[in-house]
Amino acid sequence: MTSGAAIGKAARSIRAGGLVAFPTETVYGLGADATDDRAVAAVFEAKGRPRINPLIVHVAGRGEAEALAAFDDRARLLAKRFWPGPLTLVLQRAPDCPVSWLASAGLDTLALRCPAHPVAEALIRAAGRPIVGPSANRSGRLSPTTAAHAAAELGGLSAMVLDGGPCRLGLESTVVALGDGPPVLLRPGALDAAAVEAEVGPLAEPAPWAEAGPRPSPGMLLRHYAPDSPLRTGAASARPGEAMLGFGAVDGELNLSPSGDLAEAAANLFAMLRRLDGRTGIAVAPIPERGLGRAINDRLRRAARR
Ligand code: TXA
Ligand code: MG
């Protein structure tokens, strides 16, 4: 676990415009001062991330979030119910919001999240400002779920890495946009969408990119979360040369969850794909399309895209 001294040092680095990889309950993030244009630009640069893809802004609590964006009743309800936790809310920016426009890619909305991890919370509080935190991987690659994976992704970059151990959930946060009309599920994630629907009613699918209306989440359109090896989903068994990633009774060289537990599978997903990466191909057993399985399958479909 990370010491208070390390967190203090990391917070000073953030305040000075530096980058810090930090643990959350979902995946490791690459943190920078969200109000500092140059620091935010450095995050895009470090990740090789297209600048049209906005970043999530991390806050220590609901009070801080309400100073940055317009919270309506539904947003307040969801934040009360699920924060701190793996839910990101996309809301209208407040008129005097100090967050860099670069962070939100010029959109008039902001993605806000309050992570449930003691190191993340301590870092945000010590820095005393909102922190952008895209997953700490090179753009398009597997998200890191350990400090070692984050360090490997960032290579020679001069970013401090705070070690908070392996991420408990292992899949990115669920992203929900609240505007006029029904809430929209922009990214299925570690919080089961059904839990959100129980609070605010049915979640709409994002509008197709070309249609008028709210812009879909830019990150949804890209090949993403991908190992270097070609990946095949819904596989009953491996073909010659392929490594098999099993689930439940469909066994393989590694198994996401021998007992068929979706939460365990989510926590293992990125780390196991990393272990099998570099092989001729990776075949992944079928994952049921329910609960967390929806988010796992979302990541696998994007990873399989070529
Ligand atoms: O679990 C997580 O959310 C992790 C940890 C580190 O907190 N962070 C993360 O950030 O996954 P990132 O940047 O890799 O993913 C952000 C997602 C992208 O799909 C992006 O397109 C979407 O949120 N997003 C951010 N701001 C948005 C906005 N204003 N409107 C629509 N989508 C937005
Ligand atoms: Mg990411």
Side-chain angles (χ1 to χ4, degrees), residues 47 49 135 137 143 172 187 224-225:
K47 281 181 59 81
R49 178 158 171 140
S135 47
N137 49 279
S143 300
E172 298 83 355
R187 178 176 74 182
H224 222 89
Y225 313 110

Side-chain angles (χ1 to χ4, degrees), residues 25-27 75 77-89 112-114 116 168-176 184-200 203 262-263 266 290-296 298-299:
E25 79 280 32
T26 59
V27 300
L77 179 72
L78 290 176
K80 271 191 186 149
R81 175 80 176 78
F82 296 115
W83 282 4
L87 174 67
T88 295
L89 295 174
L112 289 168
R113 156 161 151 74
C114 176
R168 179 166 55 86
L169 301 175
L171 266 190
E172 298 83 355
S173 61
T174 301
V175 182
V176 172
V184 179
L185 179 64
L186 292 178
R187 178 176 74 182
L191 176 65
D192 189 350
V196 178
E197 294 189 315
E199 301 292 333
V200 293
L203 296 173
L262 289 166
R290 64 177 153 74
L292 277 177
R294 283 179 69 190
I296 296 172
D298 169 82
R299 304 301 187 270

Side-chain angles (χ1 to χ4, degrees), residues 99-121:
V99 170
S100 162
W101 284 97
L102 200 53
S104 48
L107 300 171
D108 55 7
T109 52
L110 209 59
L112 289 168
R113 156 161 151 74
C114 176
H117 194 292
V119 174
E121 189 194 342

Side-chain angles (χ1 to χ4, degrees), residues 266-278:
N268 283 331
L269 180 66
F270 289 133
M272 287 190 172
L273 286 175
R274 244 172 229 277
R275 279 173 61 188
L276 299 178
D277 202 5

